[in-house]
Amino acid sequence: MAIGTKAGAVKLYGAPGVELTGLHKETATVTQLHFLTGQGWLLSLLDDNSLHLWEIYQKEGCSHLEETRSFGLPARPGCSPSITRVTVILPMAPGTVACLGTEGGAVYFLALPALVLLEDKTLLQDEILQSVPDDYRCGKALGPVECIQEHPQDAGRLLIGYSRGLVVLWDQSTRTVQHLFLGNQQLESLAWEHSGKNIVSSHSDGGYMVWAVGGSGQRTQQPVTATVPYGPFPCKAISKILWRTCESGNPFIIFSGGMPRASYGDRHCVSVLQGQRLATLDFTSRIIDFFTVQDPEVPEGGFENPRALVVLVEEELVVIDLQTPGWPTIPAPYLAPLHSSAITCSYHISNVPLKLWERIVSAGEQQSPRLSSAAWPINGGKNLAQEPTQRGLLLTGHEDGTVRFWDASGVSLKPLYKLGTANIFQTDCEHNDSLNQAGEEEWPPFRKVGCFDPYSDDPRLGIQKIALCKYTAKMVVAGTAGQVLVMELNDDKSEHTVSVATVDLLQDREGFTWKGHDRLAPRNGPITFTPGFQPSVLVQCVPPAAVTAVTLHSEWNLVAFGTSHGFGLFDYHRRNPVLARCTLHPNDSLAMEGPLSRVKSLKKSLRQSFRRIRKSRVSGKKRLNAGSPSSKVQEANAQLAEQAGPPEVEMTPVQRRIEPRSADDSLSGVVRCLYFADTFLRDATHHGPTMWAGTNSGSVFAYALEVPSQEKFSERAVEAVLGKEIQLMHRAPVVAIAVLDGRGNPLPEPYEVSRDLAKAPDMQGSHSMLISSEEQFKVFTLPKVSAKTKFKLTAHEGCRVRKVALVSLASTGTEERVENCLACLTNLGDIHIFTVPALRPQVHYSCIRKEDISGIASCVFTKHGQGFYLISPSEFERFSLSARNVTEPLCCLEVSRLQDTSCLSNSTATPKVQQANGTHVPHSPETNHSPADSDRSPEERQATFSPGSVDSPNSSMENPLDTTGDITVEEVKDFLASSEEVERNMRNASEDEMRPAGILIK
């Protein structure tokens, strides 16, 4: 199956793991794709009317996709260029010639694979009109060529359909019209019946007609049958129709469109008709294309017996099993709809234990009993990639309150399990799956298919943060309305009441009034939960602002959470709060307005930004006055240093001057990160549990925790005492906090040491604390909290930190040699790698376009040096920072060409590197090392497809914010960097840029 995108990408999919990707040199929409059957060639048509030939070739045992030639149909002298605009392409058997139908009604023939126009075979409309009766002509043109179909039993005869309604059976060898079908209704599509004795045509009035094909020279004015399936009222056009014979008796008639215009004109439907059985498959997004899967070779007099129907819609790929009663859906092993509801957050877990994995898979299988058990029908090619050595889970939180679990172990993301949280609360719309199913008497008999649902019952249900302990199967899910759900995995169905606890983060502070949304009201009484993750405690933050940070320590039975007002600590075993701390500044009134009111303060924020710039420029001029004696002395010293210093001496790099942020900046109290650690806080001899919190104003709070032993959890309560309070000099937001042991290694996760899954941390040497702010990384010694080393990223590189993670990078030579590094993603889309704890820069990659703010905000690093980010609202891109840990498609497709055409490859063409977001970038040494280029392995894109090509979320969202050195833009970005704004950016991303254009099957 081939899919083309609006960004000019071409993607081939076969059996699971078989995936090839190519990118046109021109950034134009792919409108049609056609395989040259069995030869490993692919023909693409772009919206600039250019044709391109792609070759599947073998290199080092793996298949690759490469564009080899292009062709443009020449304009006819004295005519408009639109006359030769290609509307239809038909590669003819055995793949040496292609027919091109045009807007002007002419049919051209192209030699393959050389892409040479065969001018002597051109069929103009005038030649057809000579055989048309005078009363049918009546001075009207036939219109564009709408469809060309090859006779199923005789490749020399072509069925050509024109927009006006005329259908012609043309014999190429004799260049004569064998049969005329004089239709009077505007034509949309044509299809042969396999024996070649009948054809079916679909029309703009929502009807289709069956015509009998007779002998030579006949004219047929009336069809055998004419049907308007959803009449008698006016209906929309049937844009495509298929006729597939079946050994069991009645053939399949499959068509898209045709819905009653007044009642259901806004529905996106594909209808499947077999005898008296009719199913109207109702999709939630526009139909792009569909095809059936059957045996490629059908003997004369045999039956096609289609096995499956593949439908590409704008937002997902759906496959219907046509051989199982009821025509159920076949679950897709790739191209699953990640964005069935808008993605609001993501979370990755590496090395998932087998027992937990099996329990999650089992819970997911029980959720989908109505899916087909048939094998995936698109099974071409061979997957050469080795089986994943570890199991990886990617969790995505969604706007509708669901959390979806994906198998991220291999090349593609496979859905495992879906967790819903809406049933815990009283929402405006009650969930009722029965509403999706049509009643017995309803006409048309709609059947909801696919899982893309862009609508949310309540935006407060949106998931903001997720934390999961893979050893105890405990999970924390936090949402937009301050709800924090503590859940645990249960293999059985359960009915119980969810405990509710409230934590007041304002601590009765006077003068603050919450002006945002209300909290979600929990349901009263017992609630029934299906097998899977089930909530045990609901912690409600007050005010009910969106949760901005959450962390879980299952060994201590503690969960910490933070909002724009403060942070709290909760003991979910005893079900009581341990700590609540308000982080609001006295002037921080904006945090009380909620996300819907934040735009009111945009002018104020911009005004403050310009004032800072003006102030910094004025002070800078004062310091660097050209006439001042000090500046002359500095200039003279600089010249002397240049003359006297030897060339090999490394000069200290020039650092940018960073203005400290004001203490009363808006949203300064937002909690950005939370962290648990067993370390030295009170003194250098006694270590114990601690909790750390970092805020938007550069404040770090450290609490010493008194956690009872496991035997006394029920008897004694956890206590928290403030141990340290740190204020960073420039008040830059704290992005992450981590504690390193005496050897400089990160502390292990809960239960890893007790279960012999990790080495015990070094408690003999002094620990150190790594604080990552938006501007710099700084290592402090513990417990004195004295600065040890730092790296000023903003001062050196002119960028700001957006995401950081401690990653473990293994050597390609031996797995035992492992380095712990700090990975950092900046607001410019670059990834920097530093050693820890020395903070020495190692490598620098360009990964994401700096304009792709939503992609940068969605990035998540894995523990072993890989990462994911949203290349569009519907597709994750995977990259790797580790030479050993790379996940990429390795596959082989067997082809048998009729002739040796390897010389067609454009080996002298200028190489181009495709960036991860589908854009073209010049080939350079730096981009050649980009993990998004060499190590990229595109993950499940949720797209849609149509008659001949598909468009893809390969093009990222269009948010052209320039962030290179413009302080004003940086300040605006800081203002918009909250989670609510990130969600809105994801939802408002350019929808046109992620639409597929078509598909074809090999």
Side-chain angles (χ1 to χ4, degrees):
M1 175 178 66
I3 296 180
T5 77
K6 276 200 172 180
V10 175
K11 297 190 176 185
L12 267 60
Y13 295 94
V18 175
E19 178 181 329
L20 301 177
T21 303
L23 192 65
H24 286 91
K25 296 181 177 65
E26 301 79 10
T27 306
T29 300
V30 182
T31 57
Q32 293 189 43
L33 287 171
H34 299 272
F35 281 110
L36 308 188
T37 307
Q39 299 190 48
W41 297 101
L42 182 68
L43 199 60
S44 64
L45 174 68
L46 303 184
D47 62 356
D48 62 2
N49 207 40
S50 62
L51 285 159
H52 301 262
L53 188 69
W54 295 81
E55 177 189 5
I56 300 173
Y57 67 96
Q58 307 293 324
K59 182 179 179 181
E60 298 178 354
C62 297
S63 295
H64 301 269
L65 185 66
E66 181 185 28
E67 180 184 348
T68 58
R69 289 205 169 192
S70 61
F71 170 82
L73 199 60
R76 292 170 59 182
C79 298
S80 169
S82 63
I83 294 296
T84 55
R85 186 162 195 83
V86 177
T87 57
V88 183
I89 300 177
L90 173 69
M92 300 172 58
T96 56
V97 176
C99 304
L100 309 179
T102 62
E103 286 275 0
V107 178
Y108 297 89
F109 293 84
L110 199 64
L112 299 175
L115 296 187
V116 176
L117 187 64
L118 304 175
E119 298 185 12
D120 58 324
K121 291 191 174 185
T122 301
L123 175 60
L124 300 178
Q125 208 173 84
D126 296 340
E127 195 170 349
I128 297 295
L129 285 171
Q130 295 175 6
S131 304
V132 175
D134 294 338
D135 58 342
Y136 187 85
R137 280 190 233 172
C138 57
K140 295 181 181 179
L142 299 180
V145 177
E146 291 291 342
C147 192
I148 303 177
Q149 295 288 336
E150 200 172 25
H151 194 290
Q153 308 299 335
D154 185 355
R157 292 193 286 172
L158 295 177
L159 193 67
I160 305 172
Y162 296 89
S163 177
R164 182 179 160 190
L166 177 69
V167 180
V168 176
L169 184 58
W170 173 260
D171 191 320
Q172 292 186 86
S173 58
T174 61
R175 295 190 66 84
T176 58
V177 175
Q178 288 196 338
H179 201 136
L180 285 175
F181 305 90
L182 305 176
N184 292 312
Q185 189 62 247
Q186 181 178 328
L187 182 70
E188 296 288 335
S189 177
L190 286 172
W192 280 101
E193 186 262 335
H194 181 65
S195 66
K197 297 178 181 179
N198 296 286
I199 62 170
V200 60
S201 61
S202 66
H203 301 273
S204 61
D205 64 346
Y208 66 86
M209 303 177 186
V210 177
W211 306 77
V213 180
S216 179
Q218 287 192 6
R219 298 174 183 174
T220 302
Q221 293 185 335
Q222 296 297 328
V224 177
T225 59
T227 306
V228 181
Y230 298 108
F233 300 106
C235 296
K236 300 193 74 173
I238 294 179
S239 56
K240 180 176 179 178
I241 192 166
L242 297 178
W243 184 337
R244 296 289 183 257
T245 57
C246 191
E247 194 171 0
S248 61
N250 295 311
F252 280 98
I253 303 289
I254 305 171
F255 58 89
S256 59
M259 288 293 104
R261 188 177 296 275
S263 304
Y264 304 107
D266 59 342
R267 297 287 187 103
H268 311 287
C269 297
V270 171
S271 301
V272 182
L273 174 65
Q274 185 185 32
Q276 299 301 315
R277 296 165 59 195
L278 172 65
T280 308
L281 307 178
D282 188 10
F283 297 88
T284 53
S285 55
R286 184 171 63 93
I287 311 289
I288 303 296
D289 197 10
F290 63 92
F291 61 82
T292 57
V293 181
Q294 60 266 340
D295 293 333
E297 299 294 334
V298 180
E300 186 174 351
F303 299 93
E304 292 165 294
N305 293 326
R307 300 195 303 273
L309 169 67
V310 182
V311 185
L312 178 67
V313 294
E314 276 191 337
E315 305 295 348
E316 59 186 318
L317 177 75
V318 179
V319 179
I320 306 297
D321 183 358
L322 296 179
Q323 294 187 328
T324 301
W327 300 331
T329 301
I330 301 176
Y334 45 73
L335 292 179
L338 296 172
H339 66 317
S340 49
S341 174
I343 296 175
T344 51
C345 67
S346 54
Y347 181 79
H348 186 272
I349 307 105
S350 302
N351 296 325
V352 179
L354 178 60
K355 185 176 180 180
L356 174 62
W357 186 272
E358 291 174 342
R359 294 176 67 189
I360 292 174
V361 170
S362 174
E365 289 174 347
Q366 296 180 62
Q367 288 182 326
S368 308
R370 288 174 290 185
L371 292 179
S372 171
S373 58
W376 181 245
I378 304 170
N379 53 11
K382 183 179 180 181
N383 181 18
L384 302 179
Q386 296 181 351
E387 285 296 318
T389 56
Q390 60 179 6
R391 291 169 291 275
L393 268 180
L394 182 67
L395 277 59
T396 54
H398 297 263
E399 190 181 39
D400 62 355
T402 59
V403 178
R404 286 173 167 81
F405 291 64
W406 305 89
D407 177 1
S409 311
V411 171
S412 59
L413 291 180
K414 303 173 187 176
L416 298 178
Y417 166 69
K418 183 178 79 170
L419 166 66
T421 62
N423 62 329
I424 303 169
F425 304 99
Q426 301 175 21
T427 56
D428 296 334
C429 300
E430 296 296 327
H431 293 256
N432 191 349
D433 293 338
S434 63
L435 294 178
N436 294 333
Q437 303 300 324
E440 294 182 3
E441 303 299 326
E442 184 180 354
W443 181 262
F446 290 115
R447 190 180 113 200
K448 213 74 171 171
V449 288
C451 59
F452 175 74
D453 182 9
Y455 307 106
S456 172
D457 292 343
D458 194 326
R460 296 175 296 173
L461 291 169
I463 306 300
Q464 295 296 321
K465 297 293 175 181
I466 304 169
L468 172 65
C469 175
K470 58 187 177 183
Y471 302 114
T472 59
K474 293 280 197 312
M475 184 167 73
V476 176
V477 175
T480 304
Q483 69 271 27
V484 180
L485 286 164
V486 181
M487 318 185 86
E488 56 184 323
L489 187 57
N490 192 340
D491 298 327
D492 301 317
K493 186 177 179 180
S494 174
E495 183 175 354
H496 63 267
T497 302
V498 179
S499 301
V500 180
T502 302
V503 177
D504 182 8
L505 297 179
L506 290 181
Q507 294 293 286
D508 301 324
R509 184 174 294 196
E510 297 179 357
F512 289 94
T513 304
W514 172 248
K515 303 174 184 177
H517 50 244
D518 294 331
R519 71 177 75 178
L520 284 164
R523 290 183 184 273
N524 299 320
I527 305 173
T528 302
F529 297 100
T530 58
F533 282 93
Q534 301 172 357
S536 57
V537 183
L538 165 63
V539 183
Q540 179 62 56
C541 300
V542 177
V547 177
T548 56
V550 74
T551 187
L552 169 70
H553 201 294
S554 55
E555 203 165 0
W556 302 339
N557 292 333
L558 294 175
V559 56
F561 47 87
T563 69
S564 56
H565 307 116
F567 55 88
L569 183 63
F570 189 82
D571 180 350
Y572 60 81
H573 182 77
R574 292 174 59 90
R575 302 190 178 184
N576 68 291
V578 177
L579 167 70
R581 171 70 183 255
C582 181
T583 56
L584 286 178
H585 188 274
N587 298 330
D588 196 0
S589 59
L590 187 59
M592 306 307 296
E593 297 181 0
L596 300 180
S597 305
R598 292 181 54 205
V599 181
K600 298 176 185 178
S601 301
L602 181 58
K603 291 182 180 179
K604 176 184 175 183
S605 177
L606 290 173
R607 198 178 301 117
Q608 292 174 346
S609 300
F610 282 111
R611 284 176 182 169
R612 286 195 206 98
I613 295 167
R614 227 175 274 123
K615 179 181 176 182
S616 64
R617 285 176 179 170
V618 170
S619 61
K621 288 178 182 177
K622 290 179 180 178
R623 289 191 310 273
L624 299 176
N625 189 339
S628 64
S630 61
S631 65
K632 293 180 180 179
V633 172
Q634 291 175 4
E635 186 178 348
N637 288 338
Q639 291 177 354
L640 287 173
E642 289 179 2
Q643 295 172 4
E648 65 271 10
V649 173
E650 187 176 316
M651 304 300 294
T652 303
V654 177
Q655 296 187 17
R656 295 163 178 81
R657 183 173 182 273
I658 307 300
E659 285 290 334
R661 307 190 188 198
S662 172
D664 60 350
D665 269 356
S666 299
L667 299 175
S668 62
V670 175
V671 177
R672 294 290 295 271
C673 61
L674 292 161
Y675 179 70
F676 285 116
D678 184 353
T679 186
F680 302 90
L681 183 62
R682 294 173 173 171
D683 56 59
T685 56
H686 301 90
H687 63 87
T690 61
M691 187 195 77
W692 304 75
T695 71
N696 229 25
S697 60
S699 299
V700 177
F701 303 92
Y703 283 84
L705 306 178
E706 291 291 340
V707 179
S709 61
Q710 293 189 1
E711 297 80 14
K712 298 183 179 180
F713 269 141
S714 303
E715 301 174 9
R716 290 180 51 196
V718 178
E719 296 179 4
V721 179
L722 181 63
K724 307 284 183 183
E725 189 170 339
I726 306 166
Q727 179 62 59
L728 300 183
M729 183 184 301
H730 289 102
R731 298 184 178 275
V734 179
V735 179
I737 301 171
V739 172
L740 309 174
D741 68 7
R743 304 187 192 95
N745 297 323
L747 298 183
E749 296 180 20
Y751 286 108
E752 276 192 334
V753 175
S754 61
R755 301 190 181 189
D756 296 327
L757 299 171
K759 292 182 180 179
D762 182 3
M763 292 297 183
Q764 303 303 319
S766 61
H767 284 197
S768 53
M769 174 183 58
L770 171 63
I771 297 180
S772 304
S773 74
E774 282 193 359
E775 295 176 358
Q776 67 178 2
F777 309 112
K778 202 164 187 178
V779 176
F780 297 87
T781 60
L782 289 177
K784 290 184 179 181
V785 192
S786 57
K788 187 176 180 181
T789 182
K790 64 183 175 181
F791 184 86
K792 298 179 180 179
L793 185 71
T794 303
H796 287 294
E797 304 291 340
C799 54
R800 296 196 175 184
V801 178
R802 287 291 176 258
K803 302 281 182 175
V804 294
L806 288 168
V807 298
S808 175
L809 304 179
S811 168
T812 54
T814 170
E815 194 172 358
E816 296 178 356
R817 184 183 173 189
V818 176
E819 292 184 12
N820 292 307
C821 299
L822 179 70
C824 158
L825 174 68
T826 72
N827 62 329
L828 302 182
D830 299 335
I831 292 180
H832 299 255
I833 307 294
F834 300 89
T835 61
V836 288
L839 297 181
R840 286 193 300 270
Q842 296 297 295
V843 287
H844 169 204
Y845 298 116
S846 176
C847 184
I848 311 175
R849 293 189 310 132
K850 63 183 179 183
E851 298 86 1
D852 189 3
I853 296 176
S854 295
I856 294 171
S858 65
C859 181
V860 56
F861 289 103
T862 74
K863 189 176 180 180
H864 299 288
Q866 291 194 355
F868 298 86
Y869 70 94
L870 284 171
I871 199 172
S872 78
S874 63
E875 179 184 17
F876 270 111
E877 183 82 6
R878 184 200 294 254
F879 60 87
S880 180
L881 307 173
S882 168
R884 184 183 185 90
N885 187 22
V886 178
T887 303
E888 60 182 344
L890 298 173
C891 57
C892 178
L893 277 68
E894 294 183 3
V895 297
S896 54
R897 295 195 175 94
L898 298 178
Q899 51 184 310
D900 183 12
T901 52
S902 58
C903 59
L904 294 177
S905 178
N906 290 337
S907 58
T908 59
T910 303
K912 285 195 175 184
V913 178
Q914 63 182 75
Q915 203 169 359
N917 45 24
T919 57
H920 299 279
V921 293
H923 192 281
S924 68
E926 182 176 356
T927 55
N928 193 37
H929 292 291
S930 169
D933 296 333
S934 58
D935 296 336
R936 71 189 294 265
S937 137
E939 282 304 323
E940 283 321 299
R941 83 191 221 36
Q942 293 332 306
T944 52
F945 55 170
S946 134
S949 65
V950 195
D951 35 315
S952 148
N954 232 7
S955 45
S956 64
M957 305 141 229
E958 311 229 326
N959 290 326
L961 277 181
D962 186 5
T963 58
T964 10
D966 189 331
I967 302 178
T968 306
V969 176
E970 285 294 336
E971 293 293 347
V972 174
K973 257 180 67 179
D974 287 339
F975 176 78
L976 298 176
S978 74
S979 57
E980 294 90 347
E981 201 65 29
V982 169
E983 292 172 43
R984 194 172 69 182
N985 284 340
M986 291 181 180
R987 291 194 298 270
N988 294 345
S990 172
E991 292 296 329
D992 289 337
E993 289 298 331
M994 55 172 165
R995 305 292 181 239
I999 65 164
L1000 281 175
I1001 189 160
K1002 176 180 176 183

